[in-house]
Amino acid sequence: MTRPLHAAMAAGNLAEAGTLAMALAGLGELTVMDLISVAGLLAAQGKIEQTIALYTLWLKHCDSPLEYVAWYNLAVVRAQGEDDAGAERAYRKSLALRPGFTESQLGLGVLLERRRQPEAALAIWREALDLLEAAPPGAPPAAASLQVRLLNHIGRLAEAQGDPAQAEDALLRSLQLDPKQRLIVPRWLDLRLKLCAWPVHGFVPGVSETALQHHTSALAMLSLSDDPARQLAAARREVAVHFPPAPKALSDQGRYAHRKLRVGYLSCGFGAHPTGRLIADLLELHDRDQVEVYGFCWSGEDHSALRQRLLRAFDLHVPIGPLNDAQAAQAIRAHEIDILVDLHGALPGGRPGILGHRPAPVQIGWLGQAGSSGNDCVDYILADSFVLPPELAGYHSEKPLYLPHCFQPQDRRRAIPPPPPAGARAEAGLPDDAFVFCCFGAAAQIVPERFATWMRILQAVPGSVLWLQTDSEQVRDNLRLAALQRDVSSDRLCFAAPESGERQLARYQCADLFLDTGPHNAGTVASDALWAGLPLLTRAGGTFASRVCGSLLLAAGLPELIARTEKQYAAKAIRLATHPKELARLRNRLKKNRATAPLFDTPALARDLEQLYLRVARGTLKRGRRKAAQAASAPLVSILIPAAGPPLLEATLASALAQTHANCEVIVSDSSPHGACHALLKPYLKAHRRLRYSHAPGLGALDNLNHCLALALGEYIAATPPGDTLTPEKIAVMLPYFADHPQVNVVACWRQPLAPDGQALPAAPLFATDIVIDGVSLANMLLGDGGGAAAAMCAPGALLLKRGTLGHAFGRYHGRAYPQRADVATTLTALHAGHCIYLPRALSTYLPTPPALVPAAVALDAALESLRLLYEAHEQGHNFGAPGAFQQLLSARLSEMNTLISTHHLQLAASAADRLDALQRAMRIGYQLLLSP
């Protein structure tokens, strides 16, 4: 069969080639080269399962010295299919057969990193690197290439783990092996800047000083140059290198028409983060009669009080962390955002690629980057006339939008720290009787020129100390050495570990004067210092970044603390340190101005900002009549219709559009390959503005439903599969129960099943009357019911859900997906700390799916998910009721699983190894829990 296989491959007949390869593999006659060729073609076509099956069969029946390569390739494919456990087993099998196989070590490290085991990933990469470096001279060129890849991985992950010293060393060694890596040079320079390793543009054989200057990142250039032309050039280069030409704009350049202006804020700082601290008060102060506030973020959940405050401040929070840039842009576009404000810019972790898709007609840069983005898809930059005077506007790719006072918002709800208690300085490691200069800006913003000025100030003020903030011993040592080189004793430098929140504000009470960095000024920490009543000295330069603190001081009423030259900066610092009464007057004025100065008048800033938004918005605001206003004030309900094609869709859609509740939106997501539903929906889309359509080809049923959810704006969610027909009053009947019963998170109704001819099938609701079901009791029913009546009650078409309790997606429980038990997982999540109301009225009808034989593997997956749901509930401390109830339920589940295995053992024996492994693990955990005291 080898010849027909080669002929099929030559003819491009992949289906036949795959079939023949499977047959040859089963006979043990498929060569390893043919295996790799066919598997590569299958994987390239996205046929992951078939590729895995081919490798698995070959490994079972064939023998080759290159078996370790097959295991490696299998690991790669399993990782592509997000089977991390299976991929890890395959990588380790490859390494067991061929210890030191670098490709497997590389891949296993990447996998371990993805599985949140960074130290294990670094360890295996270091081991691989040691083996390559220990190789005898004359190693092939490929070995050097592998060393470079390992060093780059180590550098990237070490930096992410907060070890810039290890990262800088790894990237330097990488550049020494291959100095032409233009993407590595800027990362290495950034690390040297963070470490205060001066000169930042260090020596690398094969890389000229000019090349180093040319490859400096836009963010690093803010610290290394006060030339606005160089900063703009660096930003432009970065955009050209990292981002492809902008695709077709997603936004409606013909402009939207909304009742309120829709403003979206884009950031990963919606938590205990400098951006979150700056923006929280402003978000809360937006005028909801004019503006709807959306938050699009990829922030991780840090469980901070600030994050919860920020999320409450949004009218709608849309997590986009799991989405790629194109998908995130689509999600933003689906919400018809009028103005998108990027709060992140070029800071680490930023996603300017989202803006490249232009998901909004107007896009604005603010706060994240103290300078130009260099990106033509950002239309405006928010500024004030001091931080960005008109003569500097030409060095920005964006048009400036000028706020009347300071461009930076402040949080008036920050604590005001009390005077320091006795002994506070000693506790902080500071001398009690010394004048304490401080700078708590980032180490990357400390540059040799400003540091030299600080050392001259210390020399001129006997006994004074400079208090800096870093937890890096390497940075501390580098700065101590720099002080000694400038004839200043290293013990004149005091260091503190980073703090945040109230502890950071309290720390400022121990200092006398804040010395600003330059040319990249301190940002959020500077505003914190002023709020805490600590005077700050800055020098205003020639760029946005070097004028930030000058803007803060002008708006705080302290213009005399703005120096114009480095010499004047030093002179002012020395005078204030030696004239305590003058410094005390400034401190008192700052505290007095806290209540009146424009810097801290965030309500006025919010109004000014909204006027700017209204001025540049390209849409129009609809001023509806009273009826429309009343409709808009009613809670918005999103009716989700995930459709795989036109069949059954029209009746469902018509019933959704006929709802008597005044404020509904209907979202149809069409997963058919070519958008088959669009022709059917076209007249409805013209007639109904509240109907939205999205084409999401190839999504499965659950993923399509979750795609609908990502597009939804509503406070309440009703999923309606095609084939369901809603009574006109369904939403109007169900929705008031939430207002009448604040502890209710789920309202469920009975769905009347219909025969294909439309006749009602014999059936009855689960309960005879309206009933409030305790959330814990219903959860116990669902966990013990399997696929029975209770599970049927929580089918998506039966439920009206609060968006806030649903979580990010249907089919998840405590962050884990349960595709076979999606309905139960969704309801368990929604019931958390709440109850359910069940209505026995038939508020919708549906066409039951004809019964079909369930494959043994699918039945096994569903049973496994039922067990995992039970385990997760137990682990989360769920109350199962009477003592022993959990063990009784667990015993029943394990018994059902044993019956399933006994009945279908032959079919299950042929299952993939990962399914059998999962089964064994689940049963082992179950019996351990059952038999534990």
Side-chain angles (χ1 to χ4, degrees), residues 387-468:
V387 78
L388 182 54
E391 59 268 26
L392 292 182
Y395 297 102
H396 290 72
S397 57
E398 311 88 345
K399 296 178 183 177
L401 284 178
Y402 288 113
L403 289 156
H405 300 291
C406 181
F407 77 101
Q408 189 186 90
Q410 304 297 319
D411 180 10
R412 301 164 304 146
R413 290 174 57 182
R414 285 173 292 185
I416 297 175
R425 277 196 168 187
E427 186 178 339
L430 300 169
D432 282 330
D433 56 350
F435 189 96
V436 177
F437 297 100
C438 84
C439 180
F440 291 160
Q445 293 169 225
I446 301 174
V447 294
E449 296 78 11
R450 179 56 53 86
F451 189 81
T453 300
W454 290 347
M455 296 303 100
R456 289 196 296 272
I457 294 168
L458 291 182
Q459 288 170 333
V461 182
S464 62
V465 296
L466 176 60
W467 195 18
L468 302 170

Side-chain angles (χ1 to χ4, degrees), residues 238-520:
E238 203 162 87
V239 170
V241 169
H242 291 286
F243 303 104
K248 182 180 178 182
L250 292 175
S251 63
D252 184 356
Q253 296 301 311
R255 306 175 183 181
Y256 306 127
H258 298 140
R259 197 180 67 84
K260 301 178 186 178
L261 192 68
R262 296 183 182 177
V263 178
Y265 290 98
L266 181 69
S267 179
C268 80
F270 296 144
H273 182 279
T275 300
R277 299 206 305 274
L278 289 176
I279 204 74
D281 201 14
L282 177 92
L283 295 177
E284 293 165 334
L285 289 167
H286 268 310
D287 181 359
R288 263 40 184 203
D289 290 334
Q290 293 198 86
V291 176
E292 289 179 352
V293 183
Y294 295 71
F296 300 95
C297 80
W298 56 101
S299 315
E301 178 55 68
D302 63 8
H303 304 288
S304 65
L306 181 57
R307 178 167 175 80
Q308 299 312 308
R309 180 184 168 197
L310 286 160
L311 298 189
R312 287 193 300 269
F314 294 118
D315 294 310
L316 184 66
H317 167 238
V318 182
I320 57 172
L323 308 179
N324 61 34
D325 287 352
Q327 293 168 334
Q330 288 279 2
I332 295 168
R333 167 62 183 86
H335 292 288
E336 294 191 352
I337 299 300
D338 295 298
I339 295 176
L340 183 64
V341 184
D342 178 25
L343 299 174
H344 208 86
L347 295 177
R351 297 182 63 178
I354 294 173
L355 299 171
H357 293 272
R358 191 166 277 282
V362 176
Q363 300 186 156
I364 298 175
W366 191 28
L367 298 181
Q369 183 172 350
S372 178
S373 67
N375 196 336
D376 290 333
C377 66
V378 182
D379 305 298
Y380 300 97
I381 183 171
L382 281 168
D384 59 66
S385 58
F386 183 90
V387 78
L388 182 54
E391 59 268 26
L392 292 182
Y395 297 102
H396 290 72
S397 57
E398 311 88 345
K399 296 178 183 177
L401 284 178
Y402 288 113
L403 289 156
H405 300 291
C406 181
F407 77 101
Q408 189 186 90
Q410 304 297 319
D411 180 10
R412 301 164 304 146
R413 290 174 57 182
R414 285 173 292 185
I416 297 175
R425 277 196 168 187
E427 186 178 339
L430 300 169
D432 282 330
D433 56 350
F435 189 96
V436 177
F437 297 100
C438 84
C439 180
F440 291 160
Q445 293 169 225
I446 301 174
V447 294
E449 296 78 11
R450 179 56 53 86
F451 189 81
T453 300
W454 290 347
M455 296 303 100
R456 289 196 296 272
I457 294 168
L458 291 182
Q459 288 170 333
V461 182
S464 62
V465 296
L466 176 60
W467 195 18
L468 302 170
Q469 182 171 274
T470 176
D471 56 2
S472 168
E473 278 303 322
Q474 184 69 54
V475 172
R476 297 181 182 193
D477 288 344
N478 287 342
L479 291 177
R480 290 184 182 112
L481 178 61
L484 291 170
Q485 290 170 340
R486 291 159 178 82
D487 299 319
V488 175
S489 173
S490 61
D491 61 10
R492 303 279 296 276
L493 301 184
C494 302
F495 294 97
E499 283 285 4
S500 61
E502 294 183 9
R503 291 175 64 88
Q504 178 79 336
L505 290 172
R507 176 178 284 174
Y508 289 117
Q509 302 302 303
C510 294
D512 295 304
L513 181 66
F514 190 111
L515 296 178
D516 191 22
T517 51
H520 191 180

Side-chain angles (χ1 to χ4, degrees), residues 68-69 93 120 179 204 266 268 352 436 553 596 644:
Y68 70 94
V69 176
K93 182 66 176 177
V204 181
L266 181 69
C268 80
V436 177
L553 289 166
T596 58

Side-chain angles (χ1 to χ4, degrees), residues 19-353:
T19 301
L20 290 168
M22 289 292 288
L24 286 167
L27 295 171
E29 297 176 5
L30 183 66
T31 68
V32 69
M33 299 311 297
D34 285 343
L35 166 71
I36 293 171
S37 297
V38 176
L41 293 171
L42 291 170
Q45 294 294 317
K47 300 180 183 298
I48 300 299
E49 291 185 4
Q50 191 175 349
T51 308
I52 290 172
L54 178 58
Y55 273 119
T56 302
L57 189 63
W58 187 90
L59 288 164
K60 184 176 181 181
H61 294 284
C62 298
D63 187 28
S64 168
L66 297 177
E67 183 182 344
Y68 70 94
V69 176
W71 280 109
Y72 164 77
N73 288 346
L74 176 60
V76 171
V77 178
R78 285 197 182 279
Q80 290 172 354
E82 298 186 347
D83 175 12
D84 289 352
E88 182 176 346
R89 287 194 300 273
Y91 278 130
R92 294 194 184 281
K93 182 66 176 177
S94 173
L95 289 169
L97 292 169
R98 181 70 175 266
F101 182 44
T102 310
E103 294 286 0
S104 284
Q105 291 171 309
L106 270 166
L108 179 56
V110 171
L111 185 70
L112 291 170
E113 179 188 0
R114 190 164 82 186
R115 302 191 79 182
R116 299 182 180 180
Q117 300 176 47
E119 291 304 324
L122 287 169
I124 198 163
W125 288 334
R126 292 191 200 102
E127 178 187 343
L129 191 61
D130 291 342
L131 289 172
L132 287 174
E133 290 175 344
S145 174
L146 289 170
Q147 283 179 274
V148 166
R149 290 171 61 192
L150 286 164
L151 288 164
N152 289 346
H153 276 303
I154 291 170
R156 175 185 53 76
L157 185 52
E159 181 182 10
Q161 289 299 106
D163 189 350
Q166 181 187 176
E168 189 269 345
D169 176 70
L171 295 189
L172 174 60
R173 291 163 64 192
S174 172
L175 287 170
Q176 288 169 341
L177 288 168
D178 181 7
K180 296 181 180 180
Q181 300 178 81
R182 65 175 186 171
L183 296 181
I184 299 301
V185 171
R187 287 174 51 198
W188 178 66
L189 293 173
D190 287 352
L191 288 164
R192 289 186 63 78
L193 197 60
K194 290 179 181 178
L195 289 166
C196 297
W198 303 329
V200 171
H201 295 107
F203 174 72
V204 181
V207 184
S208 67
E209 173 73 13
T210 302
L212 290 174
Q213 295 279 355
H214 180 77
H215 289 301
T216 301
S217 71
L219 185 60
M221 193 63 79
L222 299 182
S223 293
L224 294 173
S225 173
D226 197 31
D227 181 346
R230 291 186 66 193
Q231 291 186 2
L232 177 60
R236 290 284 197 192
R237 282 195 302 270
E238 203 162 87
V239 170
V241 169
H242 291 286
F243 303 104
K248 182 180 178 182
L250 292 175
S251 63
D252 184 356
Q253 296 301 311
R255 306 175 183 181
Y256 306 127
H258 298 140
R259 197 180 67 84
K260 301 178 186 178
L261 192 68
R262 296 183 182 177
V263 178
Y265 290 98
L266 181 69
S267 179
C268 80
F270 296 144
H273 182 279
T275 300
R277 299 206 305 274
L278 289 176
I279 204 74
D281 201 14
L282 177 92
L283 295 177
E284 293 165 334
L285 289 167
H286 268 310
D287 181 359
R288 263 40 184 203
D289 290 334
Q290 293 198 86
V291 176
E292 289 179 352
V293 183
Y294 295 71
F296 300 95
C297 80
W298 56 101
S299 315
E301 178 55 68
D302 63 8
H303 304 288
S304 65
L306 181 57
R307 178 167 175 80
Q308 299 312 308
R309 180 184 168 197
L310 286 160
L311 298 189
R312 287 193 300 269
F314 294 118
D315 294 310
L316 184 66
H317 167 238
V318 182
I320 57 172
L323 308 179
N324 61 34
D325 287 352
Q327 293 168 334
Q330 288 279 2
I332 295 168
R333 167 62 183 86
H335 292 288
E336 294 191 352
I337 299 300
D338 295 298
I339 295 176
L340 183 64
V341 184
D342 178 25
L343 299 174
H344 208 86
L347 295 177
R351 297 182 63 178

Side-chain angles (χ1 to χ4, degrees), residues 612-859:
L612 286 179
Y613 286 164
L614 290 167
R615 195 178 86 200
V616 300
R618 297 178 184 171
T620 57
L621 294 181
K622 299 185 293 183
R623 302 301 181 190
R625 298 176 181 176
R626 179 174 298 179
K627 183 176 179 181
Q630 290 173 344
S633 65
L636 177 62
V637 178
S638 299
I639 301 175
L640 315 182
I641 306 178
L648 307 177
L649 174 59
E650 190 163 17
T652 300
L653 175 63
S655 70
L657 293 170
Q659 289 301 294
T660 58
H661 177 66
N663 198 16
C664 289
E665 65 168 3
V666 180
I667 300 169
V668 177
S669 178
D670 176 9
S671 62
S672 63
H674 305 293
C677 299
H678 189 263
L680 172 67
L681 294 177
K682 198 170 183 180
Y684 291 94
L685 289 166
K686 288 183 177 180
H688 298 276
R689 292 193 60 83
R690 59 180 179 169
L691 172 62
R692 288 191 285 145
Y693 167 82
S694 178
H695 183 215
L699 293 183
L702 181 59
D703 289 340
N704 200 22
L705 177 58
N706 282 325
H707 182 68
C708 285
L709 181 64
L711 305 178
L713 303 174
E715 183 181 352
Y716 296 89
I717 302 294
T720 308
D724 276 32
T725 303
L726 289 63
T727 63
E729 71 277 12
K730 177 176 179 176
I731 301 300
V733 168
M734 298 176 77
L735 188 60
Y737 284 90
F738 289 105
D740 295 340
H741 302 270
Q743 295 302 314
V744 165
N745 288 346
V746 179
V747 178
C749 73
W750 184 52
R751 294 193 304 160
Q752 170 68 59
L754 299 179
D757 61 0
Q759 296 298 310
L761 293 171
L766 186 61
F767 301 100
T769 60
D770 294 5
I771 184 172
V772 177
I773 309 173
D774 175 80
V776 172
S777 299
L778 180 55
N780 287 335
M781 291 171 62
L782 294 172
L783 290 167
D785 184 60
M793 186 187 83
C794 64
L799 305 180
L800 184 62
L801 300 162
K802 285 183 180 178
R803 176 66 180 265
T805 61
L806 175 58
H808 300 328
F810 287 91
R812 289 186 172 270
Y813 182 55
H814 288 287
R816 182 169 185 165
Y818 294 86
Q820 301 298 330
R821 286 286 182 261
D823 298 354
V824 174
T826 299
T827 308
L828 289 172
T829 297
L831 284 172
H832 179 68
H835 306 313
C836 171
I837 285 184
Y838 180 78
L839 308 178
R841 280 163 283 181
L843 295 175
S844 60
T845 63
Y846 74 105
L847 297 171
T849 303
L853 183 64
V854 178
V858 174

